[in-house]
């Protein structure tokens, strides 16, 4: 039986603009699904039904040309919205109501979207899994005994299970691409500077940017366009990177047309390998091999690429990650409430001296230059998204911060380098394991290369038709 969530986000927006459905009707559909399904899935920390319905009705007075006019979505719990509880996944901020909205929430409103609440995130967004002690774990809709990844885990669960058409996430080391790979979605981390409201320049090391989680490549392009140009006009963001192709039109156009032949490299090397035991699960290899075969069949050039050993990567990245935790506004009483991983990060960060942090930042800046130069001959580099299949809930060490960090690296050793280098990267859900679990691959592009990544993703999507795969909750 047909239901509204069976439509793509692009199709839902088209129905809204043509008057086939109202924003209130679409909002009511998703709120009903959230009420029915989310108790098992844990996608949301806050469901703001009344505000969502009021907002849906208010969009009728807004211009239908707005890029997300009347379309339901939600804020990640790390994004504050005035008047709503914003706990950032932490018991230390339990019940905290935001006085002001963060810029990303303001931009979401400017696009004409309807926020239905807040999606689950781990404490302050540091872990690559979403199992906060402050709330429920975000369960993988393909197997609820498994985690959904993180830190945009709740957003990924909501989109994969049909509780939202699309959702924004944020990515400082893989936090969009990891849960996208674990839940069978397209997840796009834009170039540093692409989105003004979450450019990366405001975070230590320039790591954290915002981006879309979606079921299709076109839906990802739609949400990226909305964040780049919320009013629907061309972006005026001064530091937005230039396009890497002659076509500098909407990202949705590249994601829809899917045109071009490109030179790709394929690599299974990780900058973490000199410090941690990185092993590629056979299902991760199967996903990569499948993507290579399909790209060759499409006529793209594919070469192997070896990334050099980088012994300085682990200590430099860890120092910046810990220093970022040290900036959290936590007094002693609040520090006693945070999770062991967060406490370890904060305490380690507070012990760093200025010279150590300065050297780490300088090393990562040099690494960025080396990586950009190394990848320059290629339009994109194909890599695994994850080294392992989705992890069981409770798999990560809940007491030993050092061990927990190591487990995260073992699970996702291929994502953080794109944040350090400021490069765009997209996860594509190409493979399904014999147990029915999604496994993705990652394409890392040149600076400003989102259109190339979207075009490549659209080509692969047409062949593999992953948008027709859904978890059990989809039909419930």
């Amino acid at each position: 039986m047909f239901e509204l969530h069976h439509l793509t986000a692009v199709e839902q927006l088209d129905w809204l603009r043509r008057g086939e459905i109202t924003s209130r009707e679409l909002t009511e559909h998703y709120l009903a699904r959230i009420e029915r399904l989310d108790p098992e899935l844990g996608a949301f920390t806050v469901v703001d039904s009344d505000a969502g319905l009021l907002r849906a009705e208010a969009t009728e007075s807004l211009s239908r040309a707005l890029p997300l006019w009347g379309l339901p979505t939600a804020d990640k719990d790390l994004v504050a919205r005035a008047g709503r509880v914003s706990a950032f996944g932490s018991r230390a901020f339990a019940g905290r109501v935001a006085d002001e909205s963060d810029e990303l929430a303001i931009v979401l409103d400017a696009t004409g979207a309807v926020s239905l609440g807040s999606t689950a995130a781990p404490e302050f967004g540091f872990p690559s899994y979403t199992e906060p002690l402050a709330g429920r774990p975000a369960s993988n809709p393909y197997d609820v005994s498994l985690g959904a990844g993180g830190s945009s885990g709740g957003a990924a669960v909501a989109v994969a299970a049909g509780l939202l058409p699309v959702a924004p996430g944020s990515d400082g080391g893989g936090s969009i691409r990891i849960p996208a790979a674990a839940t069978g979605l397209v997840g796009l981390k834009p170039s540093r500077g692409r989105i003004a409201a979450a450019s990366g320049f405001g975070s230590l090391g320039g790591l954290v940017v915002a981006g879309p989680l979606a079921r299709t490549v076109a839906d990802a392009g739609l949400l990226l366009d909305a964040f780049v140009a919320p009013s629907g006009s061309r972006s005026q963001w001064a530091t937005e990177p230039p396009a890497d192709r002659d076509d500098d039109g909407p990202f949705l156009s590249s994601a829809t047309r899917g045109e071009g032949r490109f030179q790709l490299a394929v690599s299974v090397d990780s900058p973490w390998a000199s410090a941690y035991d990185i092993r590629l699960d056979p299902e991760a290899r199967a996903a990569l091999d499948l993507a290579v075969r399909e790209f060759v069949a499409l006529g793209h050039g594919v070469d192997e690429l070896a990334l050099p050993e980088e012994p300085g990567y682990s200590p430099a990245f860890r120092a910046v990650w810990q220093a970022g935790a040290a900036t959290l506004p936590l007094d002693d009483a609040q520090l006693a409430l945070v999770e062991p991983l967060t406490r370890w990060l904060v305490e380690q960060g507070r012990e760093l001296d200025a010279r150590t942090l300065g050297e780490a930042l300088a090393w990562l800046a040099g690494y960025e230059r080396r990586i950009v130069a190394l990848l320059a001959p290629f339009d994109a580099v194909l890599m695994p998204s994850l080294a392992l299949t989705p992890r069981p809930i409770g798999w990560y060490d809940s007491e030993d911060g050092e061990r927990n960090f190591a487990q995260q690296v073992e699970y996702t050793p291929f994502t953080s380098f794109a944040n350090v280098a400021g490069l765009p990267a997209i996860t594509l859900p190409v493979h399904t394991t014999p147990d029915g679990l999604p496994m993705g691959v990652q394409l890392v592009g040149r600076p400003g290369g989102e259109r190339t990544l979207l075009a490549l993703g659209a080509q692969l999507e047409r062949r593999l038709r992953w948008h027709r795969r859904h978890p059990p909750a989809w039909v419930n």
Side-chain angles (χ1 to χ4, degrees):
M1 182 180 71
F2 168 78
E3 293 195 67
L4 289 171
H5 65 278
H6 296 168
L7 299 170
T8 68
V10 171
E11 291 168 339
Q12 290 176 46
L13 186 61
D14 181 58
W15 277 41
L16 287 166
R17 287 173 172 161
R18 290 191 291 110
E20 298 284 341
I21 191 173
T22 67
S23 179
R24 183 182 177 95
E25 290 170 332
L26 192 58
T27 296
E28 288 175 339
H29 173 76
Y30 280 110
L31 287 172
R33 287 186 60 78
I34 293 167
E35 182 179 12
R36 186 167 67 253
L37 300 174
D38 195 52
E40 181 181 34
L41 296 174
F44 285 82
T45 58
V46 175
V47 179
D48 210 346
S49 302
D50 292 342
L53 291 170
L54 287 172
R55 169 67 175 173
E57 293 175 349
T59 60
E60 294 297 329
S61 64
L62 302 177
S63 168
R64 297 192 178 200
L66 291 173
L68 300 180
W69 181 75
L71 194 69
T73 185
D75 306 286
K76 187 175 176 178
D77 192 34
L78 305 183
V79 176
R81 180 174 287 274
R84 180 186 294 171
V85 172
S86 300
F88 304 104
S90 178
R91 294 174 298 181
F93 286 175
R96 175 184 177 274
V97 177
D99 295 325
E100 298 180 349
S101 294
D102 287 343
E103 187 177 4
L104 203 59
I106 295 170
V107 166
L108 193 66
D109 287 347
T111 69
V114 176
S115 176
L116 303 188
S118 298
T119 55
E123 191 167 53
F124 303 115
F126 285 109
S128 58
Y129 60 99
T130 306
E131 301 171 28
L133 295 180
R136 302 171 295 159
S139 298
N140 195 314
Y142 285 88
D143 181 344
V144 294
S145 71
L146 304 178
S151 63
S152 304
V157 172
V159 176
L163 310 185
L164 291 173
V166 288
S170 57
D171 192 316
S175 290
I176 289 171
R177 292 160 287 154
I178 295 164
T183 61
L185 298 178
V186 176
L188 175 60
K189 183 201 87 69
S191 303
R192 185 182 295 132
R194 176 65 76 189
I195 296 175
S199 65
F201 293 112
S203 63
L204 194 62
L207 300 177
V208 184
V209 298
L213 288 136
R215 292 193 296 272
T216 71
V217 175
D219 287 353
L222 172 73
L223 188 51
L224 182 59
D225 276 326
F227 276 127
V228 169
S231 67
S233 60
R234 289 179 64 90
S235 170
Q236 301 297 315
W237 178 227
T239 63
E240 186 180 2
D244 71 332
R245 303 174 63 186
D246 292 337
D247 174 19
D248 64 349
F251 295 104
L252 179 57
S253 296
S254 296
T256 302
R257 296 196 310 268
E259 297 174 345
R261 293 294 177 266
F262 302 100
Q263 187 62 38
L264 308 180
V266 60
S267 179
V268 293
D269 297 324
S270 166
W272 294 101
S274 61
Y276 294 92
D277 183 19
I278 306 302
R279 299 181 182 181
L280 197 62
D281 186 277
E283 295 301 339
R285 170 61 76 173
L288 186 67
D289 291 345
L290 172 61
V292 169
R293 291 195 301 271
E294 295 296 337
F295 278 131
V296 169
L298 284 163
H300 300 290
V302 179
D303 295 324
E304 291 189 4
L305 176 67
L307 300 183
E309 287 263 342
E310 293 281 3
Y313 185 89
S314 176
F317 189 93
R318 282 166 54 109
V320 171
W321 209 244
Q322 292 164 351
T327 67
L328 292 171
L330 298 169
D331 59 29
D332 290 343
Q334 290 172 313
L335 189 60
L337 294 174
V338 302
E339 300 174 22
L341 173 65
T342 303
R343 188 177 305 111
W344 175 75
L345 288 169
V346 170
E347 290 173 348
Q348 292 291 311
R350 289 178 177 178
E351 291 178 3
L352 286 173
D353 57 73
R355 177 175 178 175
T356 300
L357 177 57
E359 289 174 345
L361 291 168
W363 193 96
L364 293 178
Y367 177 80
E368 175 183 353
R369 293 191 296 272
R370 294 194 298 277
I371 284 294
V372 170
L374 179 66
L375 305 190
F378 306 100
D379 295 297
V381 178
L382 177 64
M383 307 179 76
S385 290
L386 304 172
L388 307 174
T389 55
R391 299 292 82 197
I393 291 173
W395 182 75
Y396 293 94
D397 194 304
S398 62
E399 298 297 333
D400 186 337
E402 183 77 56
R403 174 60 184 146
N404 185 295
F405 190 89
Q407 290 175 302
Q408 294 184 64
V409 172
E410 291 162 11
Y411 180 47
T412 174
F414 303 107
T415 53
S416 63
F417 88 99
N419 299 80
V420 173
L423 298 174
I426 191 170
T427 282
L428 302 170
V430 299
H431 178 57
T432 303
T433 73
D435 293 331
L437 299 177
M439 287 298 290
V441 295
Q442 175 184 218
L443 284 168
V444 181
R446 293 170 172 162
E450 287 90 341
R451 291 177 180 84
T452 294
L453 300 184
L454 291 166
L456 284 163
Q459 293 177 24
L460 212 55
E461 185 176 82
R462 284 198 289 260
R463 289 182 67 89
L464 299 179
R465 307 179 77 81
W466 57 65
H467 55 290
R468 294 190 174 184
R469 305 175 193 155
H470 302 292
W474 184 259
V475 296
N476 291 344

